[in-house]
């Protein structure tokens, strides 16, 4: 059984997700915006092995805890989109000073592109290139759990901002062509606020 737990991390309270398979204990982390002791206890108490730290994009409020968790879980590989390398390595572009309280320069261990896949234990993940909020925005689709981690691309009845080096045209294209192409019953786990579903957003999102 796949379990998904949500934790608010970092100064801006971004959603960090811990996704684990209780059949083998393999797990991955999505967007650690900062350290969270409650999340660490959850990982320990459920005997989860964090194999990957997945980044939907490179803004400081989503990457502020990466170095902390790389130290805590040295086996974990950081994965980001190839097109996001410029943000991760430039504090001026990733706004880490204002959103995470410190300047962050970060390199992923593995860079992926649209259409790439990853196996975490028994879980198969599909990477969807969803630029717009940032040039290398990435959504992570997990069919076995009928869910997608959308970062700051798609929210519940809202969408990500595009005034921090993004593109509204690309954002809407990403939502329509990549996220709305997923099955209607796919749950959406966004970078902020509560979860939603593709069917709900297709019917009620006023922006797209």
């Amino acid at each position: 059984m796949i379990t998904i737990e949500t934790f608010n991390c970092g100064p801006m309270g971004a959603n960090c997700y811990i996704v684990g398979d209780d059949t083998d204990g393999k797990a991955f982390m999505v967007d650690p915006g900062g350290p969270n002791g409650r999340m660490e206890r959850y990982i320990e108490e459920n005997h989860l092995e964090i194999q990957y730290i997945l980044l939907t994009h490179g803004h400081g409020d989503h990457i502020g805890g990466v170095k902390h968790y790389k130290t805590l879980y040295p086996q974990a590989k950081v994965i980001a989109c190839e097109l996001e390398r410029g943000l991760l390595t430039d504090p001026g572009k990733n706004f880490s000073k204002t959103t995470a309280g410190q300047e962050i320069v970060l390199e992923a261990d593995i860079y992926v592109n649209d259409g790439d896949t990853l196996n975490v234990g028994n879980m198969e993940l599909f990477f969807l290139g969803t630029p717009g909020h940032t040039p290398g925005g990435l959504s992570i689709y997990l069919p076995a759990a009928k869910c997608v981690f959308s970062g700051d691309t798609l929210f519940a009845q809202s969408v990500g901002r595009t005034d921090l080096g993004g593109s509204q045209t690309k954002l809407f294209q990403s939502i329509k062509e990549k996220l709305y192409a997923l099955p209607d019953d796919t749950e959406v786990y966004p970078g902020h606020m509560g979860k939603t579903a593709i069917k709900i957003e297709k019917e009620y999102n006023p922006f797209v």
Side-chain angles (χ1 to χ4, degrees), residues 172-187:
F172 290 160
Q173 183 178 12
S174 293
I175 294 171
K176 292 176 180 177
E177 296 182 3
K178 296 296 181 65
L179 297 180
Y180 282 4
L182 298 175
D184 280 354
D185 62 350
T186 302
E187 290 191 310

Side-chain angles (χ1 to χ4, degrees), residues 142-163:
L142 180 55
K146 295 184 177 180
C147 73
V148 63
F149 301 92
S150 63
D152 286 1
T153 298
L154 180 65
F155 300 117
Q157 285 85 73
S158 188
V159 297
R161 61 191 294 181
T162 58
D163 59 338

Side-chain angles (χ1 to χ4, degrees), residues 36-53:
N36 184 309
R38 188 168 65 88
M39 182 168 72
E40 293 163 20
R41 289 191 294 275
Y42 171 82
I43 293 169
E44 181 179 1
E45 290 169 358
N46 288 277
H47 309 289
L48 298 176
E49 179 187 344
I50 303 296
Q51 295 196 310
Y52 296 95
I53 299 171

Side-chain angles (χ1 to χ4, degrees), residues 1-4 18-28 42 46-49 120-124 142 144:
M1 178 178 175
I2 297 174
T3 58
I4 303 171
I18 302 298
V19 185
D21 185 341
D22 61 12
T23 62
D24 59 13
K26 306 301 183 186
F28 62 90
Y42 171 82
N46 288 277
H47 309 289
L48 298 176
E49 179 187 344
V120 184
N122 297 316
M123 298 180 286
E124 185 176 22
L142 180 55

Side-chain angles (χ1 to χ4, degrees), residues 12-92:
M12 300 190 72
N15 291 334
C16 178
Y17 299 103
I18 302 298
V19 185
D21 185 341
D22 61 12
T23 62
D24 59 13
K26 306 301 183 186
F28 62 90
M29 177 184 295
V30 180
D31 287 354
N36 184 309
R38 188 168 65 88
M39 182 168 72
E40 293 163 20
R41 289 191 294 275
Y42 171 82
I43 293 169
E44 181 179 1
E45 290 169 358
N46 288 277
H47 309 289
L48 298 176
E49 179 187 344
I50 303 296
Q51 295 196 310
Y52 296 95
I53 299 171
L54 308 181
L55 305 179
T56 62
H57 65 290
H59 282 156
D61 57 326
H62 291 256
I63 65 173
V66 171
K67 291 183 179 179
H68 172 80
Y69 287 112
K70 276 286 286 183
T71 300
L72 204 57
Y73 311 116
Q75 76 280 358
K77 301 294 184 184
V78 177
I79 295 182
C81 182
E82 176 68 39
L83 296 175
E84 203 72 347
R85 190 190 296 259
L87 257 73
L88 292 172
T89 58
D90 188 339

Side-chain angles (χ1 to χ4, degrees), residues 162-173:
T162 58
D163 59 338
L164 301 176
S167 164
Q168 187 177 79
T169 299
K170 289 184 178 180
L171 182 79
F172 290 160
Q173 183 178 12

